[in-house]
Amino acid sequence: MSKDKELKEKILKAQQSGDIAALYVLEQQAHESFDEETLQGFYANILDLALEKLTQTLEEHRKMDMNEVQDFATLRALYEYAIEHYSAGKTNDAAALFEVLSGLSNDEKFSNALKLHWIAAEEKISFDDFLDRVADLEATQRAGTFYISEFQQEAQKLLDTMKDKGIQA
């Protein structure tokens, strides 16, 4: 069996079982094997599964657990989706997604970081300005998180804005 065919079977099996984490494990192989169109389909499937899991989580009135592999992978997929909107200049959509995500996890650091993302998008701070003036990408890289988790002093202004709007961070 060819490597591509074997990879596609693994992906199909992970999709059928709703295993987002397994799909992320296969991500590097997908990048090496697939053309751009197939790769877009791969990510669309991850997003579809994450949105299903989001709906299920909201219906169950529970928080996602960062220590649970599927919840972690779901939060990552939804975060990447929100960042995609933000980087495309869709600040309203991004802000709405960040707001939902900030309340979705039991991880306080993640929730607080997403509140900063949310208020930045809400305040119409461009994604590039967010990266340049608010986020601390080097510290985030050292922290090893999948999301922007470390921030510069400029973030304090956003926190003050949040407090003025009655948002608890």
Side-chain angles (χ1 to χ4, degrees):
M1 182 184 311
S2 76
K3 274 189 164 186
D4 280 1
K5 188 171 171 73
E6 190 177 311
L7 176 60
K8 285 181 180 177
E9 282 188 15
K10 285 180 184 175
I11 289 170
L12 182 61
K13 186 176 177 188
Q15 287 171 336
Q16 288 172 338
S17 63
D19 191 343
I20 299 170
L23 290 171
Y24 273 120
V25 168
L26 297 170
E27 181 179 27
Q28 186 60 43
Q29 284 180 269
H31 272 276
E32 293 167 1
S33 301
F34 297 156
D35 61 24
E36 192 60 35
E37 188 177 320
T38 306
L39 211 51
Q40 289 302 320
F42 175 79
Y43 284 111
N45 286 326
I46 289 175
L47 180 59
D48 287 345
L49 290 172
L51 291 170
E52 279 179 36
K53 188 135 170 89
L54 169 64
T55 301
Q56 178 185 359
T57 301
L58 293 172
E59 287 172 353
E60 293 171 357
H61 304 286
R62 72 172 189 91
K63 292 206 181 240
M64 290 193 174
D65 182 350
M66 279 284 216
N67 296 315
E68 202 280 309
V69 175
Q70 291 305 319
D71 283 357
F72 179 91
T74 300
L75 289 167
R76 176 182 165 185
L78 295 170
Y79 176 77
E80 290 171 354
Y81 183 58
I83 287 291
E84 204 176 289
H85 279 74
Y86 197 12
S87 65
K90 299 176 185 172
T91 55
N92 291 340
D93 293 342
L97 288 163
F98 291 138
E99 181 180 9
V100 169
L101 286 172
S102 73
L104 197 59
S105 170
N106 68 350
D107 186 286
E108 195 173 321
K109 186 171 175 69
F110 178 78
S111 292
N112 289 338
L114 273 284
K115 286 176 185 173
L116 280 166
H117 288 64
W118 166 31
I119 203 72
E122 188 79 21
E123 294 294 310
K124 306 288 187 241
I125 295 172
S126 75
F127 184 64
D128 288 339
D129 284 346
F130 177 75
L131 294 178
D132 292 342
R133 296 193 345 251
V134 180
D136 186 335
L137 297 178
E138 284 182 26
T140 293
Q141 191 171 14
R142 284 192 302 275
T145 55
F146 68 82
Y147 61 95
I148 297 169
S149 61
E150 304 298 324
F151 301 93
Q152 300 178 44
Q153 284 302 110
E154 184 75 18
Q156 188 58 51
K157 291 179 187 172
L158 285 177
L159 290 172
D160 294 341
T161 301
M162 289 167 68
K163 285 185 185 121
D164 292 344
K165 292 185 175 199
I167 301 167
Q168 197 66 19

